[in-house]
């Protein structure tokens, strides 16, 4: 594939950011710019033979201080399909284990001639600290339970493709809201684009305080489900929990798993999303995950397109395009 | 020893209900008299438009020595104290090793004497090795000069040990200073639990963790008749619990730090570890409750909880960075800027919380300008305007959230035992 099918003009004037750190800080217009650009890149994203020369001469470094398979791979593919050079860096086995700070590690990688650093870290705010301390553009690929902006953007793009417009939709985020960076980014993004957001899960993982952000909090999945246009099933983040917030996995699944019986109570055209990795049988049963309402694999494809869009926009600001 | 006449200053000494413009004479290291005319004194200090206060006292300072000299030493910490207007400080024993023996108390005293800056009083450990299991040798520590007992950095966790500490310290009429925190409620927490922590995805430390321990300590102090001092109070709930306890006569006092009446958890939105402290910065309603507690006397003392950390320790991810900030060199100005100038406290009320109140709680003969007292004097220019530049701190560490802040008022001259030790 060549550039003929993708109109790579100047980046929109309204996009001026050097970093993508959160969706809380983006306007609806900025979110829409990313989504529109992602649509432009979808065809390129879909096929491994495709490439555009948008980021020729740029280097994108993946700094993953926390385990990841799909996000890291998605960012790598996005960069390569834009013709950027890529370098992968893993926190494990790095100089961090020799006592070097993460800022020094990032500065060293920057000094090797990197333009954009994609960072994942277990601690909220770490990409923000990097952005304050280095000259590279920084993309937050997940900072602990804080935000995961590209995940929310791909979720939203997937919803938008199926429904055209998010205004007036009821979108439920179900599960471990307290420990979910996906939820936090989705809440900002969905609300800014006009959706009604419902947070659903046990009271130990979804406090009433969330209502202060303008969302609805519900602990009864069966009550809220019939009103939902979209359900995004979030993983229980056992690894982040200090104390066990519910009595057993079996009880959790009983109250909150998306299964065949619940699907029968939902709207006919309900969309089922899951950011993955999914725990089959806990948040969602296999027949639902693999069924006709599920758009889980579309999310994955859209992930590459969204990340291409983000890298293209950030590089554009750096280049003064 | 040279005589000093401080001329035409507004002398405010809450210990004597004194607030008037006068001349103050210092001779032989002691306060020698008021309304004295210039008459051949060795030094005359013009204090027109300035406030002359008893030397300020900070009863909650981490000097780090022994063991963590990369963060602070007794010499640098006491120099920072002087630069902040303090003539006496009490150091907290969470050093390495902790101050739990006569020998370690004497080491601190020796180093303080060698530094020859301000007075250093020692708060020693409640428990051996700060382990919270057995009482330290409190009697010997008192003989060595300890003025109070605390395992700060950590609470005295075992209620039985706390009860015994109250009972045992009562024999020496010494206070037990406790860090009020239920650790099961704060495990992994890096900031106040509330809307901001929820948005940022940072693990929270709920107010209840402080309130529950404050309540426990008050119950035990009431049951034993012990002297309880709640350290660095930060929540509206704790302020109210202490207020009620005082009304019914419990021997409880408390202190607040400038950052807790100045900043809120909103500051953590920057993810800057200089806003990470324990107890954490709370909500606006807690800040208002702390100010109300200062106004109505529930909160007796303003202290710094000066907690120096070397730059490399603070320049880390928020969950790895240690808790705490330095405070000695900004405290007085924060009091002036945020309590006195907005009208929450007048000068005498504010200075009482920085002089005679901590002196009384610790049972030390300081914090007064009565004739015959040690000549510890802080001269303050209330009209000074300055910008906080951590690079100019005397402290070895610069972990402050107030860098670049414009503040009002500061100490211009600090006199310890009749000798001018600091001039701005």
């Amino acid at each position: 594939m060549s550039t003929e099918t993708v109109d790579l003009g100047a980046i929109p004037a309204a996009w001026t950011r050097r970093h993508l750190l959160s969706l809380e800080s983006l306007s609806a217009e900025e979110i829409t710019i990313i989504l529109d650009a992602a649509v432009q890149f979808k065809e390129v994203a879909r096929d491994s033979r495709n490439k555009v020369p948008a980021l020729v001469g740029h280097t994108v470094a993946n700094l993953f201080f926390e385990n990841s398979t799909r996000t890291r791979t998605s960012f790598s593919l996005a960069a390569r399909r834009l013709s950027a050079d890529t370098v992968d860096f893993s926190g494990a086995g790095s100089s961090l284990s020799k006592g070097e700070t993460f800022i020094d590690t990032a500065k060293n990688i920057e000094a090797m001639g990197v333009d954009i650093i994609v960072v994942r870290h277990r601690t909220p705010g770490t990409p923000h600290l990097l952005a304050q301390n280095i000259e590279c553009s920084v993309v937050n690929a997940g900072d602990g339970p804080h935000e995961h902006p590209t995940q929310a953007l791909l979720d939203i793009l997937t919803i938008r493709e199926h429904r055209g417009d998010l205004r007036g939709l009821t979108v439920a985020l179900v599960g471990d809201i307290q420990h979910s960076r996906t939820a936090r980014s989705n809440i900002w993004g969905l609300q800014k684009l006009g959706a009604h957001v419902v947070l659903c899960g046990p009271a130990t993982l979804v406090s009433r305080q969330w209502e202060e952000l303008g969302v609805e909090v519900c602990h009864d999945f069966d009550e809220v489900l019939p009103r939902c246009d979209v359900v995004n099933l979030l993983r229980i983040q056992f690894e982040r929990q200090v104390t066990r917030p519910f009595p057993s996995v079996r009880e959790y699944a009983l109250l909150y798993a998306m299964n065949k019986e619940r699907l029968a109570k939902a709207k006919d055209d309900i969309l089922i999303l899951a950011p993955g990795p999914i725990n089959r049988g806990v948040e969602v049963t296999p027949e639902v995950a693999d069924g006709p309402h599920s758009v889980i694999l579309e999310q994955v494809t859209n992930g590459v397109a969204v990340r291409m869009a983000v890298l293209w926009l950030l590089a554009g600001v750096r280049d003064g395009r | 020893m040279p005589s000093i006449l401080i001329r035409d200053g507004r002398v405010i000494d809450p210990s004597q209900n004194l607030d008037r413009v006068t001349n103050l004479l210092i001779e032989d290291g002691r306060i020698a008299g008021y309304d004295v005319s210039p008459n051949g004194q060795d030094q005359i200090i013009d204090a027109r438009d300035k406030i002359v206060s008893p030397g300020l006292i900070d009863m909650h300072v981490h000097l780090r020595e022994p063991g963590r000299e990369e963060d602070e030493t007794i010499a640098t910490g006491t120099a920072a104290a002087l630069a902040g207007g303090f003539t006496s400080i009490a150091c907290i024993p969470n050093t390495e090793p902790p101050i739990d023996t006569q020998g370690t108390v004497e080491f601190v005293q020796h180093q303080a004497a060698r530094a020859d800056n301000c007075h250093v009083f020692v708060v020693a450990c409640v428990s051996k090795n700060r382990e919270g299991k057995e009482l330290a040798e409190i009697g010997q520590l008192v003989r060595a000069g300890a003025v109070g007992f605390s395992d700060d950095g950590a609470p005295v966790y075992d209620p039985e040990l706390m009860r015994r500490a109250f009972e045992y310290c009562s024999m020496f009429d010494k206070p037990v200073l406790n860090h009020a925190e239920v650790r099961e409620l704060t495990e992994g927490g890096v900031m106040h639990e509330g809307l901001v922590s929820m948005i940022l995805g940072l693990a929270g430390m709920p107010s209840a963790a402080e309130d529950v321990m404050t309540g426990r300590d008050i119950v035990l102090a009431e049951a034993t008749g012990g002297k309880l001092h709640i350290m660095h109070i930060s929540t509206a709930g704790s302020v109210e619990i202490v207020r009620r306890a005082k009304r019914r006569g419990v021997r409880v006092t408390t202190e607040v730090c400038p950052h807790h009446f100045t900043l809120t958890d909103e500051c953590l939105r920057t993810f800057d570890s200089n806003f990470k402290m324990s107890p954490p910065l709370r909500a606006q309603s807690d800040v208002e409750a702390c100010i109300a507690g200062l106004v109505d006397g529930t909160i007796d003392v303003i202290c710094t909880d000066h907690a120096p950390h070397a730059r490399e320790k603070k320049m880390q991810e928020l969950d790895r960075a240690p808790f705490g900030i330095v405070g000695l060199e900004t405290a007085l100005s924060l009091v002036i800027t945020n309590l006195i100038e907005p009208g929450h406290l007048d000068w005498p009320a504010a200075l009482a919380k920085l002089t005679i109140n901590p002196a009384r709680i610790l049972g030390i003969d300081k914090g007064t300008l009565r004739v015959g007292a040690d000549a510890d004097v802080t001269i303050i220019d209330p009209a000074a305007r300055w910008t906080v530049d951590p690079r100019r701190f005397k402290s070895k560490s610069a972990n402050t959230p107030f860098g670049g802040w414009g503040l009002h008022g500061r100490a211009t001259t600090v006199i310890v035992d009749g000798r001018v030790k600091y001039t701005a």
Side-chain angles (χ1 to χ4, degrees):
Chain A
M1 187 166 177
S2 65
T3 52
E4 292 91 308
T5 53
V6 179
D7 177 19
L8 288 173
I11 61 169
W15 183 269
T16 58
R17 292 181 183 269
R18 288 180 55 234
H19 310 290
L20 178 68
L21 302 176
S22 70
L23 288 199
E24 183 185 6
S25 58
L26 294 193
S27 65
E29 184 183 12
E30 288 170 314
I31 291 170
T32 303
I33 287 171
I34 300 174
L35 297 177
D36 291 346
V39 171
Q40 188 178 244
F41 285 118
K42 260 204 91 163
E43 282 306 311
V44 190
R46 209 189 302 271
D47 192 325
S48 63
R49 291 163 298 181
N50 293 343
K51 247 183 186 185
V52 289
L55 262 65
V56 169
H58 292 76
T59 303
V60 177
N62 281 327
L63 258 70
F64 277 60
F65 296 96
E66 198 181 54
N67 291 337
S68 163
T69 304
R70 79 193 60 211
T71 303
R72 181 207 286 260
T73 307
S74 182
F75 268 109
S76 284
L77 288 175
R80 285 178 198 159
R81 289 188 185 157
L82 293 167
S83 306
D85 293 320
T86 61
V87 55
D88 270 7
F89 174 91
S90 156
S94 73
S95 293
L96 287 176
S97 56
K98 301 175 190 168
E100 187 177 53
T101 69
F102 82 101
I103 289 176
D104 285 331
T105 301
K107 281 184 169 175
N108 275 280
I109 287 172
E110 178 180 41
M112 296 175 197
V114 166
D115 305 290
I116 300 176
I117 290 182
V118 178
V119 61
R120 166 167 287 191
H121 200 286
R122 68 173 198 292
T123 308
T126 304
H128 303 67
L129 287 186
L130 273 192
Q132 289 159 19
N133 284 283
I134 62 177
E135 293 301 314
C136 288
S137 292
V138 176
V139 181
N140 181 1
D143 58 333
H146 177 218
E147 282 223 37
H148 192 356
T150 56
Q151 176 66 47
L153 288 165
L154 72 88
D155 292 345
I156 293 168
L157 177 62
T158 308
I159 298 168
R160 200 178 79 161
E161 283 181 335
H162 281 267
R163 294 299 153 86
D165 191 348
L166 272 79
R167 278 174 292 190
L169 292 183
T170 296
V171 181
L173 307 174
V174 182
D176 185 353
I177 306 298
Q178 185 184 335
H179 300 99
S180 174
R181 50 190 169 217
T182 298
R184 282 174 179 79
S185 285
N186 262 282
I187 288 167
W188 298 118
L190 290 166
Q191 291 199 120
K192 284 175 184 189
L193 296 187
H196 173 63
V197 177
V198 183
L199 306 181
C200 184
T204 44
L205 293 174
V206 193
S207 83
R208 287 276 164 200
Q209 195 157 32
W210 287 100
E211 290 172 345
E212 292 182 49
L213 300 185
V215 301
E216 178 185 341
V217 170
C218 178
H219 304 305
D220 184 347
F221 193 22
D222 293 303
E223 186 274 311
V224 75
L225 182 59
R227 296 190 274 126
C228 292
D229 299 290
V230 180
V231 169
N232 196 344
L233 300 162
L234 306 179
R235 187 172 66 86
I236 300 298
Q237 312 238 348
F238 293 106
E239 71 278 14
R240 294 194 199 283
Q241 294 166 2
V242 176
T243 51
R244 184 58 86 83
F246 46 82
S248 68
V249 170
R250 189 168 54 179
E251 176 156 318
Y252 179 85
L254 179 74
L255 296 176
Y256 297 105
M258 192 67 189
N259 52 30
K260 208 165 52 179
E261 293 72 32
R262 285 210 165 91
L263 195 59
K265 298 179 197 166
K267 288 185 180 177
D268 292 341
D269 58 352
I270 190 166
L271 286 182
I272 308 290
L273 279 73
I278 57 174
N279 294 323
R280 286 174 182 261
V282 180
E283 298 98 19
V284 58
T285 55
E287 68 270 21
V288 177
D290 303 328
H293 296 278
S294 168
V295 290
I296 293 172
L297 292 177
E298 287 178 47
Q299 290 172 265
V300 178
T301 306
N302 283 340
V304 179
V306 159
R307 286 159 184 139
M308 288 176 76
V310 168
L311 296 174
W312 176 68
L313 288 164
L314 298 183
V317 172
R318 294 182 67 80
D319 296 347
R321 259 189 280 125
Chain B
M1 189 174 286
S3 57
I4 302 173
L5 184 68
I6 303 171
R7 285 190 68 180
D8 299 324
R10 178 184 168 191
V11 179
I12 301 175
D13 180 5
S15 78
Q16 310 180 76
N17 289 320
L18 180 65
D19 182 358
R20 67 186 170 94
V21 175
T22 181
N23 294 350
L24 179 66
L25 178 66
I26 295 170
E27 280 181 341
D28 296 325
R30 297 191 173 277
I31 304 296
Y34 291 88
D35 302 314
V36 177
S37 300
N39 185 20
Q41 289 87 5
D42 298 302
Q43 185 178 1
I44 293 179
I45 297 173
D46 181 0
R48 245 175 311 179
D49 301 322
K50 296 199 172 67
I51 286 163
V52 179
S53 164
L56 306 184
I57 300 169
D58 186 349
M59 64 180 289
H60 190 157
V61 174
H62 297 269
L63 285 176
R64 302 303 187 208
E65 185 181 357
R68 283 176 48 193
E69 288 81 357
E70 70 275 20
D71 299 326
E72 193 78 284
T73 64
I74 290 169
T76 58
T78 51
L82 286 178
F86 294 95
T87 57
S88 293
I89 59 176
C91 66
I92 303 300
N94 61 335
T95 49
E96 297 166 9
I99 304 169
D100 65 346
T101 62
Q102 199 164 341
T104 43
V105 173
E106 287 168 357
F107 167 80
V108 171
Q109 291 166 337
H110 177 74
Q111 291 295 77
R114 181 184 280 177
D116 194 24
N117 288 317
C118 68
H119 298 290
V120 176
F121 294 91
V122 177
V123 173
C125 294
V126 170
S127 65
K128 285 177 188 157
N129 206 30
R130 282 182 69 244
E131 287 174 345
K133 292 177 182 165
E134 288 179 79
L135 287 179
E137 292 170 332
I138 287 169
Q140 292 180 54
L141 290 162
V142 169
R143 282 191 184 175
V147 295
F149 294 88
S150 176
D151 279 354
D152 181 50
V156 176
Y157 217 79
D158 180 342
E160 167 64 7
L161 185 76
M162 189 64 169
R163 177 174 78 134
R164 297 302 180 201
F166 280 132
E167 290 170 346
Y168 203 78
C169 286
S170 292
M171 296 195 299
F172 312 100
D173 197 29
K174 297 296 178 195
V176 180
L177 291 62
N178 204 25
H179 172 127
E181 178 183 347
V182 175
R183 287 281 165 94
E184 286 87 348
L185 290 169
T186 60
E187 192 182 342
V190 299
M191 68 174 292
H192 172 62
E193 183 178 295
L195 181 65
V196 181
S197 70
M198 199 185 75
I199 290 170
L200 300 181
L202 285 165
M205 304 162 83
S207 298
E210 179 173 317
D211 301 350
V212 170
M213 188 65 94
T214 299
R216 183 207 76 167
D217 286 348
I218 284 171
V219 168
L220 291 172
E222 194 165 14
T224 59
K227 280 170 84 170
L228 166 65
H229 180 76
I230 305 282
M231 306 178 90
H232 43 43
I233 201 164
S234 72
T235 69
S238 282
V239 172
E240 182 56 25
I241 292 166
V242 171
R243 182 178 287 127
R244 288 182 191 172
K246 281 191 164 186
R247 276 189 200 136
R248 58 177 198 274
V250 182
R251 299 171 82 195
V252 57
T253 54
T254 189
E255 63 187 30
V256 68
C257 305
H259 45 272
H260 286 128
F261 62 68
T262 302
L263 305 172
T264 69
D265 57 347
E266 288 283 341
C267 297
L268 265 299
R269 285 180 177 274
T270 61
F271 296 105
D272 181 345
S273 65
N274 283 321
F275 295 105
K276 179 183 175 185
M277 52 276 282
S278 175
L281 298 174
R282 303 282 186 188
Q284 184 60 34
S285 55
D286 296 301
V287 169
E288 288 162 11
C290 286
I291 293 172
L294 282 163
V295 170
D296 73 8
T298 301
I299 299 174
D300 309 85
V301 166
I302 296 166
C303 68
T304 66
D305 190 8
H306 179 80
H309 295 288
R311 180 176 158 79
E312 66 271 16
K313 296 180 186 174
K314 273 290 196 181
M315 276 291 287
Q316 297 191 84
E317 302 92 315
L318 214 46
D319 57 346
R320 293 167 66 113
F323 290 100
I325 60 167
V326 290
L328 284 165
E329 292 170 78
T330 51
L332 173 61
S333 300
L334 289 164
V335 169
I336 295 168
T337 308
N338 296 322
L339 295 178
I340 296 176
E341 291 192 344
H344 299 305
L345 295 180
D346 59 19
W347 275 96
L351 288 178
K353 294 174 197 297
L354 288 160
T355 58
I356 191 63
N357 290 1
R360 284 178 180 149
I361 291 166
L362 297 178
I364 58 176
D365 193 15
K366 295 287 179 188
T368 178
L369 294 177
R370 70 174 186 280
V371 173
D374 294 341
D376 294 343
V377 183
T378 302
I379 302 176
I380 300 163
D381 179 0
R385 298 286 183 268
W386 65 293
T387 302
V388 179
D389 180 358
R391 291 170 301 182
R392 302 183 67 179
F393 280 173
K394 305 287 185 193
S395 173
K396 206 165 182 180
S397 293
N399 49 310
T400 175
F402 300 112
W405 278 46
L407 295 179
H408 298 174
R410 68 187 308 178
T412 55
T413 306
V414 181
I415 298 168
V416 180
D417 283 340
R419 291 181 294 159
V420 175
K421 286 286 186 179
Y422 175 81
T423 307

